[in-house]
Amino acid sequence: MNTLAWVTAAVAGWFWVRALLPRPGGEAGWARAGMEAGLAFAFGAGAVSALFFALLWGGMKPGSAAWTADGAVLAAGVGLWWLMRGRVREQAPPPGGGKMPLAWLAGLAATGSLIAFLAAAAIYLRANPQGDWDAWSVWNTRAKFLASDGMWRNAASPELAEAHPEQPLLWPAAVARAWSESGAMGQEAPQAGAFLAGLGLLLVFGCGIAARAGWPWAAAATAVLLMLVPLWRGVPGQSADVPLALFLFGAVAAAEAAQRAGWCWPGMALGGALASMAAFTRNEGLLFCAFLGAALAVAARARALWWLAGAAPVLVLTGLFHALLAPETKVFSWESLGQAGRLAAVIQAMAAGIWKMGEWPAHPLLFVALLFLVFRPEHPWRPLWPAVAALLMLAAGALALWASADNVSTEAGAAADRLLLLVIPILIWTAFLWLSSASAAAVAAEPLPDAPRRGAAKGRKG
Amino acid sequence: METASRPVPAWAVKAAVGALAAIAIYNSLIQFGVTDQFSSLYPDPYQVMGLQARLRPVQERVPWTERVGYFSDVPFTEPAGEAAFSASQYALAPRIVLKEDAKTAGQAKYWLGVFTKEQNFAEKGRERGLVLEQDLGGYVVLYRKAEPSQ
């Protein structure tokens, strides 16, 4: 039951995603289903957890709040799905990726990497059921307050200084909801949540590319993403950074799908809702949400208002949390900005984080660069806004670290790793969209001699 | 959508995909090996689960609404001291655990002492006006605030 709560959240989220996400053109039904499943987990877990917290704040007991939140999100999702039947927008037909020679090898690499990743996560969780430091000392400690009748307010108590009471409460609420529904504070709930968030990220990432460019490109991109070392540590570590990465990436993927359907309002609203869930997961998420919104306002202009409308409910809750509940803490300091040494330490930590985010020669940026060298996609690279948003997030994260009141020499390394876990999936995904489009155009210009068409290949088999 | 139109040499694509696949598999084996080795060598490195099991009697005895005071012979400036405190808070939540120098620590009726070696635990408590309530083993001790008459 500790794990079943995540499934019920995903089911509730599925109706919302089914109603709002524009359908991809093309025939890759499995890719669409996979992307929807990943986004359904993100939206469902985020929506029921935010509502659960709001109901606790409103005076409900944890058990009642959990079931009421589930019922409300599910009922509203089913209602929306019913209303939107037959009205869901179609995305423009994808350009498709060019044929990839040795595609089976890319598929083998992605499958092998995924199996090793899941097995490593399982082994780590068996030895460390409590996860990494942040998971037990911050997020799951605060979840215990939310799951205990009458004690929820202490999750934001200034007395809880070591557990960062100033951080928002979406992920602790997600874990607390699972505990409240099961009636026991088992370690399986945060473990399953982290595991499914990691899997959801991989599903949205891989299936998002598969729907656009075909499975060989999805396999190659997934193999590159799984070179990201912070991902291997983050998922079994049960930190809130993995769901944060899922919310941010899901927000980008949903908005990109909306763009391909003429910046349609349902997709934009879904993207906004997911971004707002990032804002209620960590303080940095609010900053990233703002930059993503700014990048979309430039790209989509007035249609970005739909994104804002989707984001509004959880953003309001986030604002109320910061205004009325979170203890006042000195997060930023003007003095820090005046210290050049801090800036140097942040730059050094970011450079070290980028260098160490892959185990050389298995470095994600090396392989993205290699594929760029091979395919040389010409300008303009479209879509550009996800990459701009991700780079702005990276810059903002570094700036926030420089201006923070924390001890930069001890915090910068971990903060850089966290930041890269959030932005690198978006950058790799965007790069693969450009590469697959370039490849498709190149094949159109001169088909690769070693890349027979699907029908021809079938014919040879016979 | 405008994109590249120059043809791509098949050998270059094959080489890139081959290198990507080989290195990705190599990386997954390395990462799996590192995780496996770390998990075998350092299971529960901060003894979070161990402390949680040890503090079960405290969970049964101390009501949720109580503040629990905390002191230790390991300074908080050391990672081990910080870890022991945070692990105690995790184990005892939803009770709030307070360091002895916290403003509201004086309100705490129950106290937890976490030590690194055998010593006179009762004496350590008396120095703070506390009575030893239960030795939980593993150098972890539960105290109670001494009544004024004591």
Side-chain angles (χ1 to χ4, degrees), chain A residues 128 144 159 162 187 441 448, chain B residues 4 8 44 67 90 99 104:
Chain A
N128 297 282
K144 285 187 175 183
E159 289 180 308
E162 307 294 322
Q187 204 61 47
L448 294 170
Chain B
V8 179
D44 192 4
R67 262 77 174 144
Y90 177 63
K99 293 177 188 171
T104 47

Side-chain angles (χ1 to χ4, degrees), chain A residues 229-258:
Chain A
V229 173
L231 191 61
W232 287 74
R233 291 197 219 118
V235 170
Q238 302 172 36
S239 112
D241 298 309
V242 176
L244 178 60
L246 172 62
F247 291 136
L248 279 174
F249 185 78
V252 169
E256 199 273 339

Side-chain angles (χ1 to χ4, degrees), chain B residues 145-150:
Chain B
K145 201 179 227 180
E147 299 298 325
S149 57
Q150 285 179 288

Side-chain angles (χ1 to χ4, degrees), chain A residues 36-432:
Chain A
E36 283 177 355
L39 287 174
F41 175 79
F43 184 90
V48 294
S49 307
L51 187 55
F52 167 72
F53 176 73
L55 293 172
L56 280 183
W57 197 349
M60 267 197 188
K61 292 187 171 194
S64 315
W67 291 113
T68 307
D70 279 19
V73 173
L74 179 64
V78 170
L80 186 67
W81 171 73
W82 184 263
L83 285 173
M84 295 291 287
R85 274 180 324 140
R87 292 186 204 171
V88 176
R89 295 284 294 270
E90 283 267 340
Q91 297 177 37
K99 300 287 185 228
M100 182 187 284
L102 302 179
W104 63 271
L105 208 50
L108 192 69
T111 309
S113 299
L114 186 63
I115 290 170
F117 176 75
L118 297 177
I123 283 177
Y124 189 90
L125 285 175
R126 188 181 293 177
N128 297 282
Q130 77 290 345
D132 281 345
W133 182 292
D134 275 9
W136 54 265
S137 72
V138 179
W139 307 109
N140 295 341
T141 290
R142 299 177 77 203
K144 285 187 175 183
F145 288 98
L146 296 181
S148 305
D149 191 9
M151 306 303 292
W152 72 270
R153 204 175 264 273
N154 280 346
S157 165
E159 289 180 308
L160 215 61
E162 307 294 322
H164 293 281
E166 79 285 359
Q167 289 281 358
L169 281 162
L170 189 133
W171 198 246
V175 173
R177 174 191 149 272
W179 281 338
S180 302
E181 288 185 0
S182 68
M185 289 187 192
Q187 204 61 47
E188 302 84 11
Q191 287 180 350
F195 201 79
L196 290 171
L199 200 59
L201 178 65
L202 289 169
L203 272 175
V204 182
F205 180 93
C207 294
I209 292 181
R212 289 279 302 271
W215 72 264
W217 284 97
T222 304
V224 170
L225 179 67
L226 285 172
M227 290 177 187
L228 189 62
V229 173
L231 191 61
W232 287 74
R233 291 197 219 118
V235 170
Q238 302 172 36
S239 112
D241 298 309
V242 176
L244 178 60
L246 172 62
F247 291 136
L248 279 174
F249 185 78
V252 169
E256 199 273 339
Q259 180 184 13
R260 296 185 51 75
W263 294 112
C264 68
W265 72 264
M268 290 296 278
L270 179 63
L274 288 165
S276 68
M277 289 164 190
F280 196 40
T281 302
R282 282 192 80 113
N283 284 336
E284 302 95 302
L286 187 58
L287 195 65
F288 300 151
C289 181
F291 279 110
L292 186 55
L296 278 168
V298 172
R301 307 209 179 246
R303 305 294 287 182
L305 288 173
W306 285 111
W307 186 90
L308 196 60
V314 181
L315 277 185
V316 168
L317 184 63
T318 309
L320 289 173
F321 168 81
H322 286 295
L324 304 175
L325 280 179
E328 270 188 40
T329 44
K330 196 178 178 187
V331 179
F332 297 115
S333 145
W334 286 111
E335 284 173 22
S336 297
L337 278 175
Q339 294 169 10
R342 283 183 67 91
L343 177 62
V346 169
I347 291 171
Q348 193 180 2
M350 293 301 299
I354 290 169
W355 183 261
K356 290 179 188 166
M357 73 182 178
E359 189 83 37
W360 288 96
H363 199 287
L365 296 187
L366 174 70
F367 279 93
V368 169
L370 179 69
L371 293 171
F372 260 70
L373 203 66
V374 170
F375 289 102
R376 297 185 186 184
E378 285 182 354
H379 291 282
W381 296 338
R382 298 275 170 75
L384 192 59
W385 64 265
V388 172
L391 291 173
L392 281 173
M393 288 180 208
L394 195 62
L399 184 67
L401 192 55
W402 178 25
S404 77
D406 293 339
N407 181 349
V408 77
S409 60
T410 55
E411 298 292 326
D417 275 0
R418 279 206 306 267
L419 202 51
L420 292 168
L421 178 60
L422 304 180
V423 300
I424 292 296
I426 300 172
L427 288 174
I428 296 176
W429 192 75
T430 312
F432 269 84

